[in-house]
Amino acid sequence: MGEANRRGTKADRVKSAIQRNKTRLLDHLGERDAEMDARLRSGITPFIERLGAEEWARRRSNLLAVLNSSAQGIDLATTASVRVQQDEIAWYLFLCEQALDDPLCIDVNQVARAAPFFAGIGDRWRYASNVVSIDKKIDEVLRKYKKEPDGTLFEILVALAYAEAGWDVELLDEQPQAKTPDMRVTKNGLELFIECKRLSRRVGYAEKERNDFLKLWDAATNVLVQKRQWVWFKGDFHVEIASLPESFLTDIFTSALPISAGESLIYDGPEATIRAKLIDQHSVQQHLATYRVKTNSPMLNKLLGGDWAPLNSSTTIIKIAKISQVVGCEAAVLGSYVDEIDWACGFTRDFDSEVSLDKKAKDVTKHLSEATKQVPSDKPSIIHIAVETLEGKQVERIRTSKVMAKIPDFILDKPVLGVRLHRFQANQTINDLWTFDETVERFQIDDLPLDDLIPLNVVVPRSTEMRSGSHWELYP
């Protein structure tokens, strides 16, 4: 009896047993990257410590309540995403904590986006003592900007990167009326002022385009269920999808299904080009007989879509499946795995109309103009701008053209020595917890030796070997 008391309550013992079993399973699956885990732990610890145990427990409990109680929409276009935007900084911290402590109970796509930024902070945190007011900046992102933390997190990353490069950094208080820069850095008698701007993760047009597609897909699901054929579709839309009637996919599927073996061109018109092929049911069932596959994961996309569902592509799946839950997950939606699939269909979509590509290739010169207003008129400065490359290769090529056409000749009436444009890509991955790319484009006054003075990459470790070219051009 006394031994049981020392071990805790029955509920505590059950929880410990479940955790031991999950740990043994993870050990069986393969070794973790201890160095990367240490960076991630180091990155989230300052934030959780600034919150304090009581506030962190409260905010963590609140986001779990949201995850466990959010009603799913009647269709994909209105279904709530696995994301807690009303306290997104707590959501990021929770995801990273789960990735370290309970990785069977995570949303892999959300972790892949959040974790690299905190790992980047953790990699440079040993230089935090050279950043004045960094605790105050962390407090701001935890409370003032908890719904929109990305911009302030970028400032913290840039500040730590300068500290790592040997600069003394002072994060400056916001003074909206005075239009002050984000930080002041000094090194060997040189003083620079730094301004950071980060674009939103996705432009509003891209979100609307996604939802407009899902409306067409939702309208067509009855046909897919009635036909009950295992099919994966690949579609390129040549016009704005909002211009298409809601029955567009329904009519195509009604006339084209069932298809025969091999690849079929089921629609080729001015609006879209859509192909279809049968899913290899035998391979799917064989895989699921051996492995469980996480719901809403790149592995599920790859299992069903094969080479028509490459990593980082935009996919949608409908399925009738047996789902199991990992015991002990605090939010069931984070611990869902596919055991068996009775039937499935999927669609990989791309939008190649000129209007779509141009609207998604959001120009950065507006942010450059806004950043220029923040820096001093009489002292040298550097501007860092960040944008995520979520919309694909064609969009980034257009964005690059816009940047190259405008930034080199951008008229500055202030002594801005250089601009660094950071383009981030949190990649979908199957074998790793996350992979991340950072492409940095440099614009500066000729003959200034800035590369020897200021940091290049601010998220990936400084020791990372950088390759020539842009990450969206380096992969198939």
Side-chain angles (χ1 to χ4, degrees), residues 225-328:
V225 172
Q226 290 169 9
K227 301 286 186 177
R228 205 60 173 263
Q229 194 174 28
W230 291 59
V231 182
W232 194 274
F233 304 95
K234 181 170 64 173
D236 297 308
F237 293 89
H238 312 314
V239 298
E240 286 190 279
I241 199 160
S243 68
L244 299 176
E246 190 172 295
S247 64
F248 183 74
L249 291 180
T250 303
D251 295 340
I252 293 171
F253 296 162
T254 299
S255 61
L257 298 179
I259 62 169
S260 57
E263 179 181 328
S264 300
L265 178 63
I266 62 172
Y267 187 84
D268 190 14
E271 310 94 338
T273 301
I274 300 176
R275 293 177 171 82
K277 68 176 180 179
L278 298 179
I279 295 172
D280 188 342
Q281 295 181 58
H282 176 73
S283 294
V284 171
Q285 305 299 9
Q286 194 174 40
H287 185 94
L288 292 176
T290 307
Y291 308 99
R292 285 191 175 95
V293 176
K294 204 146 194 352
T295 57
N296 188 34
S297 69
M299 184 66 242
L300 182 60
N301 294 341
K302 196 70 176 175
L303 179 63
L304 295 173
D307 59 0
W308 279 17
L311 296 175
N312 295 336
S313 59
S314 298
T315 59
T316 302
I317 292 173
I318 181 173
K319 63 185 182 297
I320 298 174
K322 178 183 177 182
I323 305 296
S324 63
Q325 303 287 339
V326 173
V327 176

Side-chain angles (χ1 to χ4, degrees), residues 92 113 117 148-152 154 196-204 359-368 370 384-390 396 399 403 407 420-424:
Y92 289 171
R113 181 182 177 274
F117 297 109
E148 297 179 332
D150 292 351
T152 311
F154 181 54
C196 305
K197 294 292 182 185
R198 181 168 175 177
L199 280 69
S200 57
R201 68 166 74 185
R202 303 196 79 165
V203 298
K359 287 186 177 181
K360 287 183 291 189
K362 193 171 182 180
D363 195 358
V364 301
T365 51
K366 178 182 177 182
H367 289 76
L368 176 58
E370 292 173 351
H384 292 263
I385 300 176
V387 58
E388 294 187 59
T389 58
L390 300 177
E396 292 312 317
R399 195 197 310 272
V403 167
I407 289 186
R420 294 290 182 266
L421 176 58
H422 305 261
R423 295 209 242 179
F424 300 145

